[in-house]
Every structure is written in C-alpha cells, then in structure tokens.
Amino acid sequence: MFENVIEAMVDAVLVVDVEGRVTLANTAATSITGYSQEELRLTPVAKLLIDDSSGLRTVVRRRIEEGDVMRREESWLVAKSGARVPVSITGSPVLRPDGGLEGIVLVARDVREIRSLLADKEAEIQRRTLAEDALRSAKASIEEQLDQSRASLLLAERRATLGTLAGGVGHELRNIAQIQVSAVDELQTALAAGEDVTALAREVIGDLERVAEHITAHGQRLMQLARPGPDRVAPIDLSAVVRDVIAMLRGAGKLRRVEVALSMTDGLQVTVNRTRIEQIMVNLVVNAVDAIGEDGGTITIDVQSGADPTRVVCSVTDTGCGIPADQIDKIFEPFFTTKPEDRGTGLGLPVAREIVQTYGGTLNVVSKVGVSTTFTFDLPR
Ligand SMILES: Nc1ncnc2c1ncn2[C@@H]1O[C@H](COP(=O)(O)OP(=O)(O)OP(=O)(O)O)[C@@H](O)[C@H]1O
Ligand SMILES: [Mg+2]
C-alpha cells in the first residue's frame, strides 16, 4: 500500500536509510534522473543531490540524524547524464515502531516547468521595462523637439510681427506723405500763379503740422520696434479726432467724390495715443473711398456711447462695392489686398485691428456686395 502510494506520486520519491543510501525510488524518480530503480538502489543520496548553494546534503544528514522534518528546499537532482534538474525538496523522517529513526523520505518536485514559466515572466517584465524605458526616452526627445519647434515658431512669429509692424509704419508714412505732397502742391501752384498765399498757408499749415506729428510718432515707433516701450496716451475726444482726420483728408483731395455724413456724440473721451487712432481712421476712410471708386457715394461715420456705457463705438459705413463672402475672412490678414501693387499693400486693416486690440477693443466688418460695408470698432472710455 505504502509503495503503491509512492509509486503513484508525480513527484520523485527517494527513501533514504540512516547511512544516506537510497532504499526506495519511485518511477517519477527514475524518469527525472534517468537512472533505473536498480541503479538508484543503495546509491548515496549525496551523489544525487547538489548542495553547493543550499548545503542540502548537510541538511539532509542532520535531518536524518535528528529525525526532523525538512521543509521545502530549492536544490538540484543530478541526473545520470550529469544534467542538473531543479527541484524543490521536502523530507520527512521514517521512524521505527520503537521510535528510532529508520531513514527519511525525500519528495522532490521537478520545478523546470515552473522555473521556465518564471523565467518567461521575468523576461516579459524585463522586455516591458525596456519598452517603457524606450517609450520614456522617446517621449523626452519628442518633448525636446516640441520645445525647439515652439522656440522657432516664436522666433518666426516675432519676425513676422516685426515685418508687419515695419510694413505698417511704412504704410502710414506713405499715406501721410500724400497729404503733405498735396498741401505743398497747392502752395506751389498758388505761388507760381503769383497769388497771395496767406489764407491758403493758414489752411494747410495745420495739416503740415499733423503730418510732422505723424512722421515723428512713426519714427519713434520704428525705434520702438527694436526696444518696445509703452505708447504715450492721453484722454481725447473721439469725435474731434474724426473731424480732424476728415479735414486732413479733404485737404489732401482724397474726398472729392464722396459725401461725408457725421453722426457723432461729442465729448466721448477715450484714453489712447492720438496718432494711433488717427491712423485707424485714415485707413478706414481711405478704404471706404477706394471702395466707392469713381462713381461717388457716401461715407457715414458714427461715434456713440456703446450699449455698455463704459465703451465708445465708432463705425465707418460706405456705399461702395462691398466685400465678397470668400474674401471677408482674409481682409484682416497682413498683405491681403485686391488693389494694384502700387496702390495697396494690404496692411491697413491688420494694423488698424492690432491697434484697436492693444487698447482692449475689437474691429469688425459687415458687408453686402454692391450695397455697403461697415467697419465698427470699440474702445474703453
Ligand atoms: N470699405 C471697404 N469696402 C470694400 N472692400 C474693402 C473695404 N475695406 C477693405 N476692403 C478690402 O480689404 C482689402 C484689405 O484692406 P487693407 O486696408 O488691409 O489693405 P489695402 O487697402 O488693400 O492696402 P493698404 O491699406 O495697405 O494700402 C482691400 O484690398 C479690399 O479688398
Ligand atoms: Mg487700406
């Protein structure tokens, strides 16, 4: 019965006597070690067990001497081929009826499969760790690339902004030069005709002063491009600015074919840089004149307190050609123009919008082709 049980076990069973020799081995023991049962019989257990790491032989001997139960130990069985088979061993004493020690039963479980499963698991963990490391370093390098792209984008943006600003200043100087050219023209013509220019001089001198102010302010602005600082601002009456701009443009002969209707509440003050606001008005009115073209039309300028009473709203409406739907999103882009190269640079609107935005306002457009166009901006009071 006892032998049948031993035989049926999947684990290798070796019964060892007090001399340390195998007295009984089951089939599992023969198949693990490659020895026949006859060969195993009386073989010293020391020959079958390796104890370099666990000192198992010593342990077995001591257990045999002391008749103790041996708990699970990791060790190797040495096969006939010399191969080492990893096993997990437990040992129990076999006692004689008088209580004396007869030997020990060693049960060795073949752990090759478990080991290889464990090794697979470890390899898997190792592989995952490596993959995670690779992922981490890939992520780091992507972040680095992203930082670089961000930095170069910033640089490109700054360059584009500088270009646009420089273009904006050039644009304004060209606009304002036209006013001076026509004033000087008028004076020269009058002088050549031998007229008394006193009255005319009195009329144009204001325009020329304004032109000088603009040139100075824009010179300053060009210098600010290199070293930006705040614009000088002061409270001004928006309606007064509109009137001055209209007078200036009329003086320059820009308003010959248009009727200008003003619908303004006086005394609405905004705290801004006057030249900058004049620049917006000049741009909007010159655009309106261009849109009206040769046939003539009306420009209506409206300055009112906003629905929000802390804001002033100004709109410029013309009865010109209007803006087609497929262009309306583009007109605020720098360098978008539908005008001949010598007439338009496409900077008027983007610069005007930029100025309005620096004061915390917005500049928007509504247009109906062939009917009218209205540009509206608001500023804090
Ligand atoms: N009042 C308007 N009516 C119809 N189209 C307009 C009006 N204002 C602007 N546009 C359109 O928007 C474009 C861009 O205007 P923007 O003032 O930015 O540049 P521009 O007038 O073409 O050139 P620049 O102002 O630099 O001399 C114009 O070319 C025109 O097609
Ligand atoms: Mg323009």
Side-chain angles (χ1 to χ4, degrees):
M1 169 64 185
F2 171 64
E3 270 151 30
N4 282 347
V5 171
I6 286 178
E7 194 52 35
M9 284 176 68
V10 280
D11 296 333
V13 178
L14 298 168
V15 181
V16 180
D17 65 13
V18 284
E19 308 289 312
R21 287 171 312 188
V22 176
T23 53
L24 185 73
N26 67 353
T27 307
T30 63
S31 56
I32 290 176
T33 59
Y35 289 111
S36 67
Q37 273 174 346
E38 289 65 42
E39 284 171 323
L40 283 176
R41 177 172 285 281
L42 299 182
T43 301
V45 75
K47 198 178 152 195
L48 295 172
L49 284 175
I50 288 187
D51 74 340
D52 50 12
S53 63
S54 66
L56 185 69
R57 274 194 317 218
T58 327
V59 175
V60 171
R61 194 171 338 106
R62 200 178 312 128
R63 290 293 183 274
I64 291 169
E65 281 157 10
E66 292 167 6
D68 238 359
V69 173
M70 189 175 80
R71 305 232 172 269
R72 191 169 291 281
E73 298 268 352
E74 301 298 319
S75 186
W76 290 272
L77 273 182
V78 183
K80 189 176 179 182
S81 65
R84 296 171 170 200
V85 181
V87 288
S88 147
I89 291 193
T90 49
S92 321
V94 181
L95 302 177
R96 285 192 308 260
D98 65 3
L101 182 68
E102 190 174 324
I104 190 163
V105 183
L106 292 175
V107 179
R109 171 159 299 172
D110 184 347
V111 292
R112 274 179 295 194
E113 201 175 329
I114 290 173
R115 285 268 169 90
S116 94
L117 278 177
L118 269 178
D120 284 355
K121 270 276 172 286
E122 261 163 29
E124 171 75 9
I125 288 169
Q126 176 89 3
R127 202 181 55 72
R128 286 208 187 151
T129 313
L130 285 176
E132 270 166 22
D133 283 353
L135 214 66
R136 235 193 308 280
S137 69
K139 195 175 155 223
S141 102
I142 286 171
E143 264 165 14
E144 198 176 306
Q145 279 173 17
L146 210 66
D147 278 350
Q148 271 172 13
S149 312
R150 271 200 210 105
S152 53
L153 197 69
L154 213 65
L155 204 69
E157 256 172 28
R158 206 166 290 155
R159 253 189 232 128
T161 312
L162 277 183
T164 312
L165 284 176
V169 172
H171 175 268
E172 176 63 7
L173 287 177
R174 201 192 53 176
N175 267 352
I176 216 74
Q178 283 176 20
I179 291 168
Q180 178 177 339
V181 166
S182 49
V184 171
D185 258 4
E186 268 188 86
L187 276 175
Q188 270 174 341
T189 315
L191 278 173
E195 289 170 15
D196 177 7
V197 295
T198 316
L200 182 60
R202 212 167 267 140
E203 203 181 290
V204 298
I205 210 152
D207 285 353
L208 289 179
E209 259 172 10
R210 184 107 310 144
V211 168
E213 275 168 25
H214 271 249
I215 290 173
T216 309
H218 282 88
Q220 210 111 39
R221 196 145 291 129
L222 274 180
M223 292 189 323
Q224 275 183 3
L225 289 186
R227 215 170 299 137
D231 265 344
R232 216 146 36 85
V233 297
I236 52 165
D237 180 343
L238 194 55
S239 310
V241 175
V242 171
R243 280 201 191 88
D244 282 351
V245 167
I246 294 300
M248 199 160 68
L249 289 172
R250 186 164 279 135
K254 280 268 174 199
L255 303 176
R256 260 179 226 126
R257 275 180 219 82
V258 298
E259 195 179 308
V260 177
L262 300 179
S263 151
M264 307 195 291
T265 303
D266 283 329
L268 292 174
Q269 297 223 313
V270 286
T271 304
V272 292
N273 179 285
R274 184 182 178 107
T275 317
R276 303 286 263 166
I277 297 308
E278 286 177 348
Q279 193 179 348
I280 299 172
M281 291 311 303
V282 169
N283 279 317
L284 294 182
V285 174
V286 170
N287 278 353
V289 169
D290 288 346
I292 285 170
E294 297 299 310
D295 298 340
T298 307
I299 296 175
T300 308
I301 302 177
D302 197 282
V303 175
Q304 307 295 346
S305 172
D308 172 354
T310 65
R311 304 190 79 83
V312 177
V313 180
C314 172
S315 65
V316 178
T317 303
D318 65 72
T319 56
C321 59
I323 305 167
D326 63 331
Q327 289 177 5
I328 205 140
D329 289 337
K330 301 198 185 110
I331 59 168
F332 290 103
E333 284 172 13
F335 306 112
F336 174 82
T337 181
T338 54
K339 297 170 191 174
E341 211 176 294
D342 57 331
R343 297 258 330 271
T345 55
L347 283 170
L349 287 176
V351 168
R353 178 175 260 183
E354 168 77 23
I355 296 169
V356 172
Q357 284 174 349
T358 59
Y359 292 125
T362 54
L363 169 63
N364 291 303
V365 63
V366 177
S367 182
K368 199 161 185 203
V369 173
V371 181
S372 69
T373 302
T374 301
F375 282 89
T376 307
F377 67 89
D378 68 327
L379 293 169
R381 283 181 76 177

